[in-house]
Amino acid sequence: MRSSSARAWQELLALLCSVWLWVGAAQRTGPTPTAQSQGPKLKFRLAGYPRKHNEGRIEVFYNEEWGTICDDDFTLANAHVLCRHLGFVAATGWAHSAKYGKGIGRVWLDNVNCGGSEKSIADCRSRGWGNSDCSHEEDAGVICKDERILGYVDSNIIEAEQNQVEELRLRPVVSGARKRLPVTEGVVEVRYKEGWAQICDKGWNHKNSRVVCGMMGFPAEKKVNRNFYKLVSKAHPKHKHRLYLERQQLSYRLHSVACTGNEVHISMCPFEFYKGNATAACKGGMPAVVSCMPGPLFTTGSAPKKKQQRQGQQRVRLKGGAKAGEGRVEVLKNSEWGTVCDDRWNLLTASVVCRELGFGSAKEALTGARMGQGMGPIHMNEVQCAGLEKSLWSCPYKNITAEDCKHSEDAGVRCNIPYMGYETTIRLSGGRSRFEGRVEVALGTESNGRPAWGLICGDGWGTLEAMVACRQLGLGFANHGLQETWYWDASNVTEMVLSGVRCAGHEMALSHCQHHGNSLNCKKMGTHFAAGVICSETASDLLLHAPLVQETAYIEDRPLHMLYCAAEENCLSSTARNANWPYGHRRLLRFSSQIHNNGRADFRPKAGRHSWVWHECHRHYHSMDIFTHYDLLTSNGSKVAEGHKASFCLEDTECQEDVAKRYECANFGEQGITVGCWDLYRHDIDCQWIDITDVRPGNYILQVVINPNYEVAESDFTNNAMKCNCKYDGHRIWVHNCHIGDAFSEEANKRFEQYPGQLNNQIV
C-alpha cells in the first residue's frame, strides 16, 4: 500500500509540475532574456572612430565571433550595463546610427531592453542572439563615465587590431617645421597602444595622401620630394635639417595601404598590419610622408580675412555653426541662396562640401536641421556624390517638389579642420562654470617657464569680441560680452595688457582682431573692469523675410495731428520738429516686416523686465533700446532719410505648425522670439516706416538692419541686413530686388577707423 501510495503521489506531483510549466510557457510574451547558464563567455570592446578611450561602437564577442548591437529601442540603462562590462562605473550617454562607424560581421543583439541593474547584457530582454533585422548603419555606441570600477582586473577593452586604425597624426620631421602651425607636412603616424607607429610607404600613392590630408583638415594633397627625405636622413647628425625619424627607432604598424581617395578616414581603406617584430619591417622602404595644401583660412602667416573667402563666385557656404568648418549647407542657384534636403545625405557628399570650402573631409553629415533651419528655397535633394567631385554642384541630385522636403530637413556638415592651437593662448577665470569668466590672454612665458597671462580692458568690449573669444575657446557662441566683471572671483592675474580690441565677429582668434597696439588706453584699470564673456552652445539667429517688404511697400501722406505718439518715440525725421504742428503732413514710406528666429535658441532682450521702459502713448513696454534701423541710402551708402530707431515689443506673432508661442507683450508678458516663430510688424502700425518728406526724386536703397548694435548675441550677424532697390519719382515709389546682404554700417566703419593697428605680437 505504501509503495502504491507513494507512486500515486509522484504521478500527481509530476502532473502538477507539467501543468505549471505549460501555463508559464503559455503566459510568456515579448522579448526574452538572452542568458544561457552554460553559454559561452562574453567579451566586449569599444571600436570605431573618432573616439576617446571611454566611448565608441560597442562590440560583443559571442559564439567565437565579434559582432555589434542594434540601436533599436536602445536606452541609457542598456549603456549602463555595457559600460560595467567594460570596467567603467556607469554610462553618461549612448549613440545611434553608427556614429562611430559601421562594424562588420553579425549584429548579435536587437531590441535590447535592460533595467540598468543587470550584471550581464545576457540578462536583459532582447530578440535573442543573432535574431535581428538591422544593418550596420544602426550600430549602437556608448559613452562611459571615465571612472574605473575599483578592483577591476579583467579589462574587456580589447583593441580591434584586425581592422581598425582610430587615430592618426602628421609628425613634422624637419626641425624648423615643428614650431609652425598648422602642420602641413610630415611622417604619417597611427596611434598604437601607448605610443605611435609608422606606415611603410611601399606602394603609397596620392590617393592615400588625399585621405590623410582630409583627416588633418586640408582639402588637397601635394607631391612630396621623397628623394629629399632619403638624402636628409643620411646626412650628418649635425646637419641643420636632420630628420626626427633618424633619431628614434622606427616601429612600423601598417603597410599596403590602398585608398581610392574618397574615404573620410584611413580606417575605411584596405591595408594590412605588421605582425611580430615590426622594427625589422618595411625593407627597402621608409615611413610614409605626406604634404598637404591648406585652405585659405589656414594659410601660414596670414590672418583669416573675409575677402579671402569670397574670391570668385562662391556657390556653396555654411551658416549657423559656432566653429569654422561647420554649419548648415546653403547653395546659390539663380542668384538666390537656398538649402539642401537631407534625404540620402552622407559623409561622401558632406566631404565634397568641406573640401570645396577649403576644409578637410567631413567628420559628420548632419541631418534634421541640426544647424538651424534655413529660409527661402530648398534647391537640392538626394545629392549623391562619389566623393571626388570638386564641387557639390558636380554631383547628381534631384530638384525639389512641394511635398518633398521642409526646412526641418536641412542638411549640415562638420568638417575636419587643421589644429591651430588657438585655444592654448586664451582662458577664462572666475566664472561659475567653464562657459563664463574673465578673459585672460597668453603673453609668452615667465622666468619659471610657466605661461604669462594678462587681462583685456573692458572699454568697448561687446558681443562681436565675445563671439571670437568663445569660438577660440571652443565653447560655442557668445551669450554676453561683459565690460565689467566685479561679481566674479578674482584670480592672481591683475595686469591689463590689451585695450581697444575690435573684432568683426568672424575671426577664429582674438589675435586676428584689431586693438590699440602697444599703447594701452583703458579708462578703468581695475581687474573688475576687465573684459568677460558668457558662452553658450546655442544661439538665436534673426532673419528678415525680404519678399514681404517688397510686396507691402507704399507711400502715405499722414497728417501731423496723427503723429504725436510717433514723434514722442523719435520715429520721424529731425525736420519734423520744425513743422507747423498739428497742421500739414509727413510723407512716409510704409512696409511690413516679418522677423524670423531661425537659430537654435530663443531671441531674448538683454535687459531684464525690471529695466523695461513703459511708453504711455503706445501703451507697451520697450525691452530694447534699439532693435531695428530703417534707412534710405544713396548708391554709395550715404543716408538721405532717417530710419526708425525706437525699440520694439518682441513677441511671437505666428509659429511653425509644431511650435508653440511663448512670448506675448500684453499684460507685461515675457518678450522674445521663439525658435521657429516670427514677429510681424504690419505696415499700418505706428513707426513702421521711413520718413521721406525731405527726399528728392531719384534711385535709392532701402535698408533694414535687425539688432544693428549687436545688443543681443546671435549665431550669424551677416544675415541681419536686407537691401532693396527703390525708384522714387516724387509721388510714387517702386521697391524691387529685395535681398539679404551686408549692411552699409556707419557705426561699424567708425569702430575700425579708430584702431588701424593689428594685435600685438605678444599674443601668440
Side-chain angles (χ1 to χ4, degrees), residues 150-167:
L150 292 176
Y152 192 87
V153 178
D154 184 20
S155 175
N156 272 313
I157 307 177
I158 302 169
E159 289 206 11
E161 295 183 353
Q162 294 77 13
N163 58 5
Q164 290 295 328
V165 175
E166 298 183 359
E167 192 175 352

Side-chain angles (χ1 to χ4, degrees), residues 226-245:
R226 191 168 180 267
N227 291 329
F228 165 79
Y229 286 92
K230 279 187 175 180
L231 289 170
V232 172
S233 64
K234 296 176 182 178
H236 191 272
K238 293 184 179 181
H239 194 284
K240 66 177 181 178
H241 291 308
R242 187 186 178 204
L243 284 181
Y244 146 80
L245 59 85

Side-chain angles (χ1 to χ4, degrees), residues 540-542 593-599 601-605 623 627 648-656 658-666 669-681:
S540 60
D541 185 18
L542 297 188
S593 63
Q594 190 179 96
I595 299 166
H596 294 244
N597 182 1
N598 284 5
D602 293 354
F603 183 92
R604 298 298 310 279
S623 57
F627 179 61
F648 277 45
C649 170
L650 301 172
E651 64 181 1
D652 296 328
T653 307
E654 295 291 342
C655 299
Q656 297 172 5
D658 55 343
V659 179
K661 297 180 182 178
R662 299 181 60 184
Y663 305 107
E664 186 176 5
C665 292
E670 290 287 350
Q671 292 194 24
I673 307 176
T674 305
V675 176
C677 299
W678 55 91
D679 196 359
L680 174 64
Y681 298 94

Side-chain angles (χ1 to χ4, degrees), residues 202-466:
K202 294 173 70 174
W204 188 270
N205 58 35
H206 70 95
K207 296 178 181 179
N208 300 337
S209 298
R210 173 182 165 86
V211 174
V212 170
C213 288
M215 291 175 63
M216 296 294 100
F218 303 110
E221 77 290 351
K222 60 182 180 180
K223 191 173 181 180
V224 177
N225 185 350
R226 191 168 180 267
N227 291 329
F228 165 79
Y229 286 92
K230 279 187 175 180
L231 289 170
V232 172
S233 64
K234 296 176 182 178
H236 191 272
K238 293 184 179 181
H239 194 284
K240 66 177 181 178
H241 291 308
R242 187 186 178 204
L243 284 181
Y244 146 80
L245 59 85
E246 187 191 38
R247 297 199 300 270
Q248 74 162 25
Q249 187 178 23
L250 298 176
S251 176
Y252 290 99
R253 177 77 181 129
L254 269 65
H255 67 96
S256 304
V257 181
C259 301
T260 61
N262 67 348
E263 296 88 349
V264 299
H265 196 282
I266 198 169
S267 68
M268 304 177 75
C269 304
F271 57 80
E272 295 183 26
F273 287 100
Y274 281 111
K275 298 179 181 179
N277 183 13
T279 57
C282 197
K283 291 183 178 180
M286 58 180 280
V289 179
V290 164
S291 183
C292 305
M293 295 179 61
L297 278 177
F298 306 98
T299 302
T300 304
S302 63
K305 302 287 184 182
K306 250 187 175 180
K307 292 180 181 178
Q308 286 180 330
Q309 302 174 29
R310 294 183 177 176
Q311 292 176 350
Q313 181 60 44
Q314 187 182 16
R315 298 184 65 198
V316 179
R317 68 184 184 186
L318 300 181
K319 288 288 184 179
K323 305 175 184 177
E326 69 175 29
R328 178 179 62 254
V329 179
E330 295 189 351
V331 292
L332 183 65
K333 184 178 182 181
N334 299 327
S335 300
E336 186 174 13
W337 287 100
T339 61
V340 178
C341 187
D342 63 10
D343 290 351
R344 304 185 73 178
W345 187 253
N346 59 27
L347 283 170
L348 287 178
T349 304
S351 290
V352 172
V353 172
C354 291
R355 289 181 186 268
E356 181 178 359
L357 294 174
F359 307 110
S361 52
K363 287 194 295 187
E364 290 186 72
L366 303 173
T367 59
R370 290 266 302 280
M371 288 293 174
Q373 296 187 24
M375 282 189 68
I378 301 174
H379 285 318
M380 306 173 84
N381 187 22
E382 295 191 25
V383 188
Q384 291 288 280
C385 299
L388 298 174
E389 295 86 350
K390 296 293 185 183
S391 171
L392 188 67
W393 287 105
S394 302
C395 305
Y397 69 93
K398 291 184 179 179
N399 291 315
I400 299 293
T401 59
E403 62 276 5
D404 275 343
C405 291
K406 299 178 181 179
H407 282 297
S408 59
E409 301 170 78
D410 284 343
V413 297
R414 282 198 178 99
C415 308
N416 288 311
I417 65 172
Y419 176 73
M420 301 297 293
Y422 292 139
E423 75 284 356
T424 64
T425 61
I426 185 174
R427 69 183 185 185
L428 300 182
S429 67
R432 297 161 296 180
S433 73
R434 70 184 186 94
F435 283 90
E436 67 178 31
R438 198 174 288 110
V439 180
E440 299 178 358
V441 292
L443 300 172
T445 57
E446 297 177 342
S447 57
N448 58 9
R450 294 181 178 179
W453 297 89
L455 301 174
I456 299 176
C457 177
D459 292 348
W461 181 271
T463 301
L464 295 180
E465 290 71 37

Side-chain angles (χ1 to χ4, degrees), residues 476-699:
F477 303 99
N479 201 337
H480 294 292
L482 304 168
Q483 297 184 3
E484 297 183 11
T485 52
W486 52 267
Y487 39 81
W488 282 335
D489 294 335
S491 71
N492 58 356
V493 177
T494 59
E495 183 184 3
M496 203 79 74
V497 296
L498 284 177
S499 64
V501 178
R502 293 294 182 269
C503 303
H506 61 80
E507 298 91 345
M508 290 188 293
L510 290 175
S511 59
H512 302 152
C513 301
Q514 297 174 335
H515 76 85
H516 282 154
N518 293 325
S519 302
L520 192 67
N521 183 8
C522 191
K523 296 177 182 177
K524 300 177 181 179
M525 293 293 290
T527 57
H528 290 169
F529 301 101
V533 296
I534 300 176
C535 305
S536 174
E537 293 179 329
T538 58
S540 60
D541 185 18
L542 297 188
L543 190 66
L544 188 71
H545 186 49
L548 184 64
V549 176
Q550 184 171 319
E551 294 165 5
T552 57
Y554 64 96
I555 286 178
E556 178 193 8
D557 290 335
R558 193 164 182 82
L560 282 173
H561 68 83
M562 302 177 69
L563 292 172
Y564 280 104
C565 283
E568 180 185 308
E569 296 197 18
N570 295 319
C571 296
L572 300 175
S573 171
S574 58
T575 60
R577 301 191 194 98
N578 304 321
N580 186 21
W581 293 78
Y583 308 105
H585 67 272
R586 303 297 293 181
R587 176 158 289 183
L588 308 174
L589 170 57
R590 309 194 71 144
F591 51 87
S592 297
S593 63
Q594 190 179 96
I595 299 166
H596 294 244
N597 182 1
N598 284 5
R600 290 182 281 159
D602 293 354
F603 183 92
R604 298 298 310 279
K606 184 177 181 179
R609 295 171 69 172
H610 63 281
S611 60
W612 294 355
V613 179
W614 172 256
H615 284 257
E616 181 64 30
C617 205
H618 284 140
R619 300 196 62 78
H620 62 229
Y621 285 94
H622 286 174
S623 57
M624 292 181 65
D625 292 334
I626 298 174
F627 179 61
T628 319
H629 283 178
Y630 299 153
D631 294 304
L632 200 66
L633 312 170
T634 62
S635 59
N636 64 5
S638 300
K639 189 185 300 183
V640 296
E642 297 179 16
H644 168 54
K645 295 179 177 63
S647 59
F648 277 45
C649 170
L650 301 172
E651 64 181 1
D652 296 328
T653 307
E654 295 291 342
C655 299
Q656 297 172 5
E657 292 180 6
D658 55 343
V659 179
K661 297 180 182 178
R662 299 181 60 184
Y663 305 107
E664 186 176 5
C665 292
N667 302 318
F668 198 41
E670 290 287 350
Q671 292 194 24
I673 307 176
T674 305
V675 176
C677 299
W678 55 91
D679 196 359
L680 174 64
Y681 298 94
R682 288 175 51 86
H683 56 82
D684 54 0
I685 66 173
D686 258 9
C687 296
Q688 189 59 35
W689 62 58
I690 298 177
D691 184 350
I692 62 170
T693 305
D694 307 315
V695 175
R696 297 178 179 179
N699 295 320

Side-chain angles (χ1 to χ4, degrees), residues 45 47-49 57-59 66-69 97-107 135-140 160 163-164:
R45 70 184 181 192
Y49 65 87
R57 181 178 64 251
I58 185 68
E59 297 189 347
W66 284 103
T68 61
I69 298 177
S97 304
K99 176 184 176 180
Y100 299 101
K102 294 183 287 187
I104 60 174
R106 302 282 295 275
V107 178
S135 70
H136 283 295
E137 293 180 349
E138 302 168 84
D139 284 345
N163 58 5
Q164 290 295 328

